[in-house]
Amino acid sequence: MSLRDDAVLVLKGYAPEGSEDTHGDQAELRQAYLDHLARHDDGMWKACGAGHVTASALVIAPERGKVLLTLHRKLRMWLQMGGHCEEQDATLAAAALREATEESGIAGLTLLPGGPVRLDRHPIPPPCNWHLDVQYVALAPAGAAERISEESLELRWFGYEDVAGVADASVVRLLEATRSRL
């Protein structure tokens, strides 16, 4: 199965938690992602000028009530770990876990069971134009020590209650959805 095929299966199976989506229509985004992949054979890859599917993961330490965010080098924003899918990624989940591991430097991350937590579509400077982000949650092992990557200016653990003061609304929504699944 190709990564694109996996993405279609993941998206078809995606259903947001709870009976109502108070922060936007996840069902509409899900359909927009599926339509994008149906129209663009290269819709998983950075080269797709119409946008592409990306995978990210919010790294959390639930026992500490903390979230690890990266101060993204290019965007200069506090974000979850994530980015472009690569040829060696067999699944969207594998891409999200790879990105989280690479950008956090933490070995032994595991994804929260149950698949993606949210979808988020956001504009990105050219040549990418649009990221159709499939957002997972990665659980940090006890005593995890982060190590900054070249993609980050800084890595920092934030208490759940502090995220809204540093990150944009998309990260806050991801954290809220995450907490509802813990």
Side-chain angles (χ1 to χ4, degrees), residues 58-180:
L58 184 66
V59 175
I60 64 168
E63 74 286 350
R64 295 172 42 208
K66 301 252 182 199
V67 175
L68 183 65
L69 298 178
T70 176
L71 183 56
H72 194 278
R73 183 172 296 282
K74 289 181 184 176
L75 300 176
R76 307 237 183 237
M77 297 170 61
W78 288 103
L79 301 170
Q80 76 274 13
M81 315 302 154
H84 299 112
C85 296
E86 296 180 4
E87 294 288 337
Q88 76 266 22
D89 296 324
T91 64
L92 273 178
L97 188 58
R98 176 189 51 76
E99 285 285 339
T101 301
E102 287 175 0
E103 293 182 16
S104 71
I106 298 174
L109 293 172
T110 57
L111 292 182
L112 186 67
V117 175
R118 279 193 55 77
L119 304 177
D120 185 71
R121 178 176 51 192
H122 47 270
I124 290 293
C128 295
N129 297 314
W130 286 98
H131 278 180
L132 310 175
D133 198 29
V134 180
Q135 300 177 325
Y136 292 82
V137 173
L139 304 171
E146 69 278 3
R147 187 183 70 247
I148 197 164
S149 77
E150 63 189 35
E151 295 185 39
S152 301
L153 293 171
E154 186 178 349
L155 287 174
R156 188 183 309 163
W157 290 99
F158 292 94
Y160 293 162
E161 66 283 351
D162 299 323
V163 171
V166 297
D168 75 359
S170 68
V171 178
V172 173
R173 287 190 297 270
L174 177 55
L175 177 58
E176 288 172 359
T178 297
R179 291 183 74 186
S180 75

Side-chain angles (χ1 to χ4, degrees), residues 33-44:
Y33 286 27
L34 288 167
D35 292 347
H36 174 80
L37 290 173
R39 283 192 309 272
H40 303 281
D41 288 340
D42 62 347
M44 295 297 301

